């Protein structure tokens, strides 16, 4: 019997997948496994996959086939395929296509793997006691050894799945309808994370501002923010993503404006700036609705930073319709725009009914136009921080410089000999660019009258 069993997790895709992989690591480490960055050393390999675009799906399949020789060399190796490539609607076809895979797990569900490793019936894992034993869903999350005491900022899923039906989106097919987690469980998880050194949490949902809508008389997102703010000691910062324009209520904006530890940063996708395209995407709002919402956010939370998502080259999008998106982005001057080229996803309404008639070349042309526009806007917005002092929560060190974020989610780098991990420090901004900034720490109190750099204090 091997002295030490090891696991390796490969994670692709969104923050939700990062949080899900952390949950799998936690359950495996409770079973006594230790993490390894090298798949060839592992006894269990988990591939946590994404299929939001064809390129992501191709990458997952490529990674899966690269494991086949490992399985041949070590038949005892357990391979677990997880995430959106598996989805919630069964995996018979996948089992035929990948016979060397031992366990197929839906997104956010470590249960089937734990059942396989413990020879327990999956069904038994649904019992409260077994969940508690493997700490699968009760919020008492044990961070993976490699992150314990090091992780400063963590994600907490609060709503799984999505009940909207945007015509281009594969998520409802893969992650199922929306299911909000009980508030107590979320609070337990936040406390467990803070106990292990985490200072900031980001609440996750495909439409996070619909939290609690599926629970009769359930708490809403703003209630959850209040409870986390008031009941989790040691939690310094709270963020949430991703919101949908139609569910950003006054109560939610009030909570962000009034609760000092809720960060003034809003992620709310627009996807397109033309009403016809928005209608074909079935986003259920107009460009004018979105413009009004941005005005409301800026009025209620002055200085808030706002990030959006845009898809270019949606079926039927004409040059004039694209121009509407371009003009709206230029007008709104948002802090961040995550851009994507339309990628037809199997099974979605748009893939079934709308020809993908914008050429790849034209999609790239539109993508680059928006990228260039947004780079200019971001550079201008960040330039306003030059010489300003901002509060930065430091997360880790990258290439010898400490990296952290401002309350408005701006990336800041600082040089210091001191260990800044998990500290919130005032930083004076000395350089700004479109994607990040650089700053300096204040000089510490003079020793013997001579001001000394912070780290020698
Ligand atoms: S809101 Fe639309 S784009 Fe977002 S996850 Fe749901 S269906 Fe997909």
């Amino acid at each position: 019997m091997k002295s030490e069993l090891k696991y390796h997790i490969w994670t692709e895709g969104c923050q939700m997948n990062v949080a899900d992989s952390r949950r799998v690591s936690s359950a495996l480490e409770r079973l006594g496994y230790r993490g390894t960055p090298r798949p060839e050393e592992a006894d269990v390999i988990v591939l946590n996959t994404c299929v939001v675009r064809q390129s992501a799906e191709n990458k997952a399949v490529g990674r899966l086939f690269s494991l086949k020789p490992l399985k041949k060399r070590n038949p005892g190796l357990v391979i677990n395929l997880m995430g959106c490539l598996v989805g919630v609607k069964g995996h018979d076809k996948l089992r035929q296509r990948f016979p060397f895979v031992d366990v197929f797990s839906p997104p956010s569900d470590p249960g089937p793997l734990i059942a396989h490793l413990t020879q327990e019936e999956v069904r038994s894992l649904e019992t409260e006691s077994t969940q508690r034993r493997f700490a699968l869903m009760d919020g008492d999350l044990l961070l993976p050894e490699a992150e314990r005491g090091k992780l400063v900022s963590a994600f907490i899923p609060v709503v799984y799945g999505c009940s909207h039906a945007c015509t281009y989106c594969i998520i409802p097919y893969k992650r199922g309808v929306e299911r909000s987690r009980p508030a107590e469980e979320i609070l337990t998880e936040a406390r467990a994370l803070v106990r292990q050194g985490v200072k900031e949490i980001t609440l996750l949902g495909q439409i996070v501002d619909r939290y609690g809508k599926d629970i009769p008389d359930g708490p809403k997102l703003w209630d959850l923010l209040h409870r986390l703010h008031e009941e989790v000691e040691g939690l310094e910062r709270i963020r949430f993503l991703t919101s949908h324009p139609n569910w950003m209520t006054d109560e939610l904006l009030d909570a962000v404006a009034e609760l000092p530890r809720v960060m003034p940063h809003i992620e709310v996708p627009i996807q397109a700036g033309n009403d016809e395209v928005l209608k074909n995407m079935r986003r259920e709002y107009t460009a004018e609705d979105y413009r009004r919402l941005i005005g409301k956010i800026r009025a209620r939370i002055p200085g808030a930073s706002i990030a959006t998502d845009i898809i270019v080259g949606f079926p039927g999008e004409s040059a004039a319709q694209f121009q509407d998106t371009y003009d709206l982005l230029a007008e709104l001057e948002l802090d961040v725009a995550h851009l994507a080229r339309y990628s037809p996803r199997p099974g979605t309404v748009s893939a079934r009914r709308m020809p993908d008639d914008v050429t790849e070349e034209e999609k790239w042309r539109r993508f680059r136009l928006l990228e260039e526009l947004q780079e200019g806007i971001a550079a201008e917005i960040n330039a306003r921080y030059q010489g300003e002092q901002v509060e930065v929560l430091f997360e880790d060190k990258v290439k010898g410089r400490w990296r952290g974020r401002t309350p408005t989610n701006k990336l800041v780098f600082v040089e210091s000999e001191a260990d800044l991990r998990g500290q919130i420090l005032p930083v004076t901004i000395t350089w700004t660019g479109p994607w990040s900034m650089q700053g300096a720490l204040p000089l510490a109190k003079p020793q013997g009258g001579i001001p000394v750099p912070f780290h020698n204090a």
Side-chain angles (χ1 to χ4, degrees):
M1 177 69 176
K2 256 183 99 173
S3 59
E4 195 176 57
L5 294 171
K6 292 187 175 169
Y7 72 90
H8 172 79
I9 299 193
W10 178 80
T11 305
E12 187 195 25
C14 64
Q15 297 95 337
M16 195 63 92
N17 264 8
V18 172
D20 293 341
S21 289
R22 200 163 275 144
R23 193 170 303 289
V24 175
S25 305
S26 177
L28 287 168
E29 293 199 7
R30 282 180 189 258
L31 286 180
Y33 286 80
R34 296 197 69 186
T36 172
R38 284 180 288 282
E40 61 281 6
E41 279 183 6
D43 303 283
V44 174
I45 297 179
V46 180
L47 294 192
N48 193 1
T49 58
C50 167
V51 293
V52 78
R53 271 176 277 288
Q54 190 57 44
S55 53
E57 183 166 341
N58 299 345
K59 210 166 139 194
V61 172
R63 174 61 66 137
L64 197 50
F65 278 118
S66 76
L67 299 180
K68 226 175 158 182
L70 284 185
K71 181 78 178 177
K72 218 168 183 174
R73 271 206 308 276
N74 170 14
L77 170 66
V78 174
I79 297 180
N80 173 208
L81 183 63
M82 180 180 179
C84 289
L85 184 55
V86 179
V88 291
K89 297 193 174 145
H91 44 261
D92 295 346
K93 283 208 190 95
L94 285 173
R95 196 174 282 290
Q96 283 157 22
R97 193 171 163 204
F98 307 113
F100 57 93
V101 169
D102 303 281
V103 186
F104 295 86
S105 308
S108 308
D109 187 1
L113 175 62
I114 302 306
H116 180 87
L117 296 174
T118 59
Q119 304 304 312
E120 298 247 1
E121 292 303 312
V122 169
R123 264 193 321 287
S124 75
L125 287 174
E126 275 135 19
T127 61
E128 174 88 11
S129 62
T130 317
Q131 283 184 3
R132 197 163 291 291
R133 186 143 63 84
F134 294 117
L136 291 178
M137 282 302 186
D138 64 357
D140 187 13
L141 187 71
L142 173 70
L143 281 175
E145 192 182 359
E147 294 182 326
R148 233 169 285 154
K150 296 197 190 84
L151 189 70
V152 168
S153 183
F155 300 121
I156 299 186
V158 297
V159 191
Y160 291 111
C162 182
S163 298
H164 269 223
C166 303
T167 54
Y168 54 84
C169 185
I170 201 167
I171 292 172
Y173 302 89
K174 292 296 182 179
R175 286 183 171 267
V177 295
E178 71 181 5
R179 308 157 328 267
S180 298
R181 293 175 72 195
E184 281 316 322
E185 205 177 280
I186 296 164
L187 280 146
T188 304
E189 189 159 324
R191 291 191 190 99
L193 289 168
V194 168
R195 271 199 310 274
Q196 296 169 80
V198 168
K199 300 280 186 223
E200 175 183 83
I201 58 167
T202 300
L203 308 178
L204 298 180
Q206 310 298 344
I207 309 185
V208 72
D209 46 351
R210 274 190 60 81
Y211 174 74
K213 293 268 180 202
D214 55 317
I215 307 175
D217 305 324
K220 300 298 176 279
L221 183 58
W222 55 92
D223 301 316
L224 188 59
L225 292 175
H226 274 277
R227 289 202 61 192
L228 287 162
H229 197 268
E230 279 127 35
E231 298 175 32
V232 182
E233 221 173 303
L235 180 58
E236 301 288 350
R237 291 183 169 185
I238 306 166
R239 300 181 187 273
F240 56 92
L241 58 90
T242 299
S243 298
H244 185 287
N246 291 2
W247 306 100
M248 293 228 78
T249 61
D250 292 347
E251 293 90 341
L252 181 54
L253 297 183
D254 289 345
V256 179
E258 288 155 16
L259 299 172
R261 284 182 283 130
V262 176
M263 298 296 106
H265 175 69
I266 306 280
E267 303 247 354
V268 60
I270 185 172
Q271 302 299 10
N274 171 273
D275 290 350
E276 188 60 26
V277 177
L278 286 170
K279 194 159 139 274
N280 295 338
M281 286 177 163
R282 213 182 286 162
R283 289 292 291 171
E284 299 172 9
Y285 52 79
T286 64
E288 185 49 34
D289 294 335
Y290 191 83
R291 180 187 281 114
R292 260 202 310 272
L293 172 64
I294 298 303
K296 205 167 82 169
I297 293 172
R298 286 176 170 158
R300 187 68 191 88
I301 317 165
S305 62
I306 303 172
T308 196
D309 298 359
I310 292 178
I311 296 173
V312 296
F314 187 76
E317 182 188 65
S318 67
Q321 291 171 333
F322 168 71
Q323 191 59 45
D324 289 343
T325 301
Y326 186 97
D327 295 344
L328 188 60
L329 197 63
E331 174 201 327
L332 294 177
E333 294 189 344
L334 304 175
D335 296 74
V336 177
H338 308 291
L339 307 174
R341 290 167 293 119
Y342 172 71
S343 169
R345 305 311 299 127
T348 58
V349 172
S350 63
R352 282 184 276 127
R353 297 193 200 141
M354 307 174 193
D356 182 14
D357 54 4
V358 181
T359 64
E360 266 318 301
E361 194 194 349
E362 177 57 14
K363 283 179 189 170
W364 271 118
R365 189 187 73 82
R366 293 177 187 181
F367 182 97
R368 293 204 180 96
L369 280 172
L370 289 188
E371 197 177 41
E372 202 183 308
L373 169 69
Q374 187 56 31
E375 184 169 346
I377 292 170
E380 241 175 70
I381 291 174
N382 286 358
R384 297 173 203 152
Y385 285 80
Q386 182 72 30
E388 293 295 316
Q389 194 171 70
V390 288
E391 296 278 310
V392 173
L393 168 58
F394 289 97
E395 294 174 30
D396 52 11
K397 215 172 186 180
V398 181
K399 298 188 184 124
R401 294 186 303 164
W402 282 98
R403 174 174 59 178
R405 290 178 185 274
T406 67
T408 50
N409 212 34
K410 305 289 177 187
L411 203 51
V412 178
F413 292 91
V414 158
E415 288 182 15
S416 172
E417 303 301 322
D419 178 356
L420 305 184
R421 190 188 302 276
Q423 295 197 51
I424 298 181
L425 295 168
V427 171
T428 303
I429 299 300
T430 55
W431 175 87
T432 69
W435 318 123
S436 70
M437 306 193 274
Q438 205 158 320
L441 293 164
L443 292 177
K445 289 200 180 51
Q447 295 165 3
I450 305 158
V452 294
F454 179 86
H455 66 267
N456 286 349

